[in-house]
Amino acid sequence: MTSESAGSGHSLKDLDIIRQDAESELAAVKDKETAEQFRIKYLGKKGILREILKSLKDIPEKERREFGARANQLRVTIEEKFEQAPWKTSREDKDSLSFDPTLPGFPFPKGSTHPLMRIRNEIRDIFLSMGFSVAYGPDVETDYYNFEALNTPAFHPARDMQDTFYISETVLLRTHTSPVQVRTMENRKPPFRYIMPGRVYRNEEISARSYCLFHQIEGLYVDENVSFSDLKGTLLAFCRRFFDEKTRIKIRPSFFPFTEPSVEIDVECFLCGGEGCSICKKSGWLEVLGAGMVHPNVLKNVGIDPEKYTGFAFGIGIERIALLKYGIEDIRFFYENDVRFLKQF
Ligand code: PHE
């Protein structure tokens, strides 16, 4: 509407038409741009509603009063409707959120330590506080380090294709962390105390209880006069720090080619306190590690005199402890990287 046409004089009917137009155009407004177009067209300095008020002088005197009041009221109504339009608040809130640089940033989600690494770190820290150091060895090993040097003869069932992933006839994925014992002893003179964490691999059928890879922490202590009571005292101290200060342990005879004597150590079930539950299969005890006095042949293989030095070694399965400690039902959860699982730790 131009002042020219306004000059021809408006009637009250025109105001109704303007109201109807404005209302239907306002209903069609959906973003900043169309809103601005609407504002300029109706509410701007040269907008329709201002022009109408300016054209008052052309209205016959007897109608002027009422027309002026109605036109003014129409302007107020349209202004109010424009301010209250629902797109406006939601739209503007969003815009100011994405553009206001003074607002604090969105929180950056923090990951958590994998449950296996948590258990590994806890075990490691206990042994570090007892004076052990950390050593590592390769996942891809030779037959020599994984078996031969560990007094495991060629006919030993652990060498079977069923258990071991062979890469070639003499290269394989280590089946335990014990080869790191050999590598560590080769370059050092006793006394020494080491823990050796790492991944190990076994060609086992995958199920809730076993997987083709898992983690161990190996321990080794060699010095003059190391006796079986040192092994017992060290591992009892470890179990009491890791599980509970009153935990009792049970030492059972076992067999490993690289230790003599060999034992397996059970801890009192920390879930039922030894009373017997479904986790400890009503026995009150949980098997947690294998250990023994380092076999004289192993010491000989790395050039350490077994007449002068003795030592003990142990191997702890990390998955087993994590399954028990956190009450996890399926070992495969550890390897699936499902954040819904990992977030719980
Ligand atoms: N290597 C053994 C295993 O994997 C555990 C072990 C380590 C036993 C050290 C004795 C001494 O079962």
Side-chain angles (χ1 to χ4, degrees), residues 175-178 181 200 202 214 216-219 256 258-259 262-263 289-292 312-316:
T175 58
H176 51 179
T177 43
S178 301
Q181 284 188 38
V200 304
R202 287 185 200 174
F214 56 101
Q216 292 185 329
I217 284 199
E218 192 85 5
F256 301 103
F258 37 91
T259 48
S262 300
V263 296
L289 59 92
F312 68 77
F314 58 88
I316 306 173

Side-chain angles (χ1 to χ4, degrees), residues 79-151:
E79 248 170 30
E80 267 172 16
K81 286 200 167 156
F82 179 75
E83 290 303 323
Q84 286 162 8
W87 63 268
K88 196 166 184 252
T89 38
S90 61
R91 183 65 206 185
E92 289 201 337
D93 281 355
K94 261 201 225 129
D95 281 356
S96 59
L97 260 189
S98 52
F99 286 113
D100 183 352
T102 63
L103 286 173
F106 294 106
F108 191 72
K110 216 165 68 177
S112 56
T113 308
H114 193 281
L116 293 177
M117 290 303 106
R118 263 177 70 159
I119 298 281
R120 187 204 68 177
N121 294 349
E122 278 176 39
I123 297 174
R124 179 197 61 198
D125 292 347
I126 292 173
F127 284 105
L128 286 179
S129 78
M130 293 183 191
F132 284 71
S133 307
V134 182
Y136 299 96
D139 290 21
V140 179
E141 261 300 0
T142 61
D143 179 275
Y144 174 77
Y145 286 104
N146 199 76
F147 295 126
E148 195 76 44
L150 287 165
N151 199 37

Side-chain angles (χ1 to χ4, degrees), residues 3-20:
S3 33
E4 219 176 290
S5 64
S8 61
H10 281 294
S11 68
L12 289 172
K13 230 187 190 165
D14 290 337
L15 293 183
D16 284 338
I17 292 168
I18 291 170
R19 176 200 293 272
Q20 276 166 19

Side-chain angles (χ1 to χ4, degrees), residues 202-219:
R202 287 185 200 174
N203 194 358
E204 281 175 21
E205 199 166 332
I206 291 168
S207 71
R209 290 279 133 199
S210 64
Y211 201 66
C212 51
L213 67 90
F214 56 101
H215 297 75
Q216 292 185 329
I217 284 199
E218 192 85 5

